[in-house]
């Protein structure tokens, strides 16, 4: 049986770092409020000319270098993003062109903050079926473009960035199990309900959120889908070496770990430095912990996404 194994990780954060204090000069907020409610200290914000495919490109170069694989050897490119460069072509096609990886299929996945976990699940299916051997999965976002910078309830929560992994077919275990879910009836609690129509933006082009409803739903489904994924492998939460939930809010991470009975020192946290980078948050956190040596070969890592749609999912990976 062939597994899909993560053979390289990479990430990229724009150089411009915006602190809570800087935000408090733009909107009626404070470092104390943001830290105590979310754990966020700062976020990275892309330059006006930087797009999701630019961030994805930098993260992908790192992941390919770590994997020792040339872009031209890729069989498939998947980009998870809700802030694509254009309506079309897809950000994945633009990334493919930047990487010089001609001919392999490339497409975007739109599952908001769960997009990377959705992408992993899809890549796994292609590799296990024997159809493809090397797949690049990227989460890349410039959420700063869809924030209402006058809305203190949302603009303090998000940042820009990208994370990438290369998956390769291997006889050694890699992705052990993954589970995806969605509940479209919950679309109203987190959305950017705008569109381009007749040459104009219609509806509301900014991110809108019912924070408390999102909080409650996120904590419940992150617990449920973690257990569902582990059960497929006859494992318990205690068998996990590292938990990487979507980095939305440190209180969501703490509550999820508590419900699962996982010690907080086994949870990778980057939301304090990156804020919520949506589809990029999980691969960014994974890359940080691989590069700083916490995640080692053989470790079992449970990756979890949750976000607009509503969507959620988990993937258990042996590194
Ligand atoms: N600074 C200061 N005050 C603020 C700010 C701010 N940035 N934002 C809201 N407030 C005020 C509100 O106006 C309100 O004031 P009022 O009592 O005078 O009306 C007060 O703070 C409390 O507001 P709530 O919305 O009730 O605050 P809450 O404790 O729920 O915290 C938060 C808000 C942090 C958004 C919380 O609901 C949350 O973490 N929700 C999860 C949402 C999340 O993480 N979303 C990310 C996207 S979703 C995802 O990635 C899965």
């Amino acid at each position: 049986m062939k597994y899909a194994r993560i053979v390289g990780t990479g990430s990229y954060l724009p150089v411009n770092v915006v602190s809570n204090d800087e935000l408090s000069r733009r909107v009626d907020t404070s470092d104390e409020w943001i830290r105590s409610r979310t754990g966020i200290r700062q976020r990275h914000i892309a330059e006006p000319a930087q797009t999701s495919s630019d961030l994805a490109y930098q993260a992908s170069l790192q992941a390919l270098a770590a994997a020792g694989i040339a872009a031209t050897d890729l069989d498939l490119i998947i980009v998870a993003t809700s802030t694509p460069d254009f309506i079309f072509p897809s950000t994945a096609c633009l990334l493919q062109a930047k990487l010089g990886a001609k001919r392999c299929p490339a497409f975007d996945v739109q599952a908001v903050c769960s997009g990377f976990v959705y992408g992993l699940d899809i890549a796994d299916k292609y590799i296990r079926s024997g159809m493809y051997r090397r797949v690049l999965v990227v989460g890349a976002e410039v959420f700063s473009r869809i924030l209402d910078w006058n809305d203190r309830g949302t603009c303090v929560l998000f940042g820009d960035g990208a994370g990438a992994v290369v998956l390769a077919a291997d006889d050694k275990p890699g992705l052990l199990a993954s589970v995806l879910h969605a509940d479209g009836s919950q679309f109203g609690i987190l959305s950017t309900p705008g569109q381009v129509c007749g040459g104009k933006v219609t509806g509301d082009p900014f991110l809108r959120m019912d924070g408390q409803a999102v909080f409650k739903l996120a904590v419940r489904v992150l617990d449920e889908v973690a257990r569902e994924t582990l059960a497929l492998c006859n494992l318990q939460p205690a068998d996990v070496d590292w938990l990487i939930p979507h980095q939305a809010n440190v209180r969501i991470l703490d509550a999820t770990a508590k419900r699962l009975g996982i010690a907080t020192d086994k949870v990778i946290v980057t939301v304090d430095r990156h804020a919520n980078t949506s589809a990029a948050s999980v691969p960014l956190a994974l890359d940080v912990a691989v590069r700083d040596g916490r995640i080692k070969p053989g470790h079992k890592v449970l990756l979890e996404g949750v976000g607009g749609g509503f969507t959620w999912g988990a993937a258990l990976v042996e590194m």
Side-chain angles (χ1 to χ4, degrees):
M1 162 67 89
K2 288 259 182 285
Y3 286 95
R5 220 179 141 68
I6 293 179
V7 293
T9 67
S11 62
Y12 178 77
L13 290 158
V15 288
N16 180 24
V17 176
V18 176
S19 68
N20 292 343
D21 284 334
E22 281 173 84
L23 276 188
S24 71
R25 291 194 280 276
R26 286 198 214 174
V27 286
D28 183 14
T29 189
S30 65
D31 178 54
E32 197 284 326
W33 192 97
I34 301 171
R35 275 188 202 232
S36 62
R37 303 286 177 121
T38 71
I40 296 167
R41 290 189 279 122
Q42 60 177 46
R43 70 284 297 139
H44 292 248
I45 300 294
E47 296 300 321
Q50 264 182 325
T51 63
S52 286
S53 71
D54 292 327
L55 310 191
Y57 174 64
Q58 297 296 340
S60 300
L61 288 181
Q62 274 194 8
L64 288 163
I69 285 176
T72 46
D73 291 334
L74 290 170
D75 299 317
L76 172 66
I77 297 173
I78 300 174
V79 174
T81 186
S82 300
T83 46
D85 294 22
F86 304 126
I87 291 175
F88 71 81
S90 70
T91 303
C93 283
L94 299 172
L95 172 63
Q96 187 206 43
K98 285 177 184 171
L99 289 170
K102 282 196 183 122
R103 286 190 63 80
C104 74
F107 57 84
D108 286 1
V109 169
Q110 162 55 294
V112 200
C113 307
S114 311
F116 179 75
V117 173
Y118 267 59
L120 275 187
D121 178 87
I122 297 165
D124 180 56
K125 303 293 184 279
Y126 274 114
I127 289 175
R128 278 191 189 235
S129 73
M131 184 171 256
Y132 298 136
R133 294 187 58 78
R134 297 177 203 90
V135 181
L136 175 68
V137 183
V138 188
E141 302 280 15
V142 283
F143 255 52
S144 58
R145 305 279 155 77
I146 56 167
L147 297 176
D148 176 352
W149 288 99
N150 295 311
D151 175 12
R152 66 179 182 173
T154 54
C155 75
V156 303
L157 301 175
F158 296 90
D160 301 334
V165 301
V166 177
L167 292 154
D170 204 315
D171 290 326
K172 282 191 289 179
L175 201 153
L176 302 176
S178 54
V179 173
L180 304 180
H181 289 291
D183 178 359
S185 72
Q186 299 290 336
F187 75 94
I189 64 172
L190 182 59
S191 63
T192 302
Q195 55 182 272
V196 174
C197 179
K200 294 193 183 103
V201 174
T202 62
D204 185 348
F206 294 119
L207 183 147
R208 303 299 178 196
M209 178 182 75
D210 175 345
Q212 290 183 6
V214 168
F215 193 104
K216 283 186 202 141
L217 192 57
V219 170
R220 178 169 64 76
V221 299
L222 287 170
D223 176 33
E224 286 173 2
V225 78
R227 293 180 189 280
E228 200 180 342
T229 307
L230 290 167
L232 291 175
C233 306
N234 293 317
L235 294 173
Q236 301 297 321
D239 299 317
V240 170
D241 294 296
W242 297 102
L243 177 67
I244 308 186
H246 168 51
Q247 307 282 313
N249 179 323
V250 89
R251 291 193 299 149
I252 293 178
L253 302 191
D254 288 347
T256 302
K258 193 170 168 200
R259 283 174 76 129
L260 288 169
I262 292 178
T264 48
D265 62 2
K266 288 171 85 177
V267 182
I268 306 295
V269 179
T270 51
V271 67
D272 54 332
R273 288 159 286 155
H274 302 171
N276 180 347
T277 57
S278 189
S281 93
V282 169
L284 259 165
L286 175 66
D287 184 54
V288 165
V290 166
R291 283 174 193 270
D292 70 21
R294 278 178 291 173
I295 294 180
K296 296 189 180 1
H299 278 178
K300 288 190 180 63
V301 184
L302 185 60
L303 310 168
E304 293 196 272
V306 58
F310 224 70
T311 58
W312 64 101
L316 180 66
V317 180
E318 188 167 316
M319 298 296 291

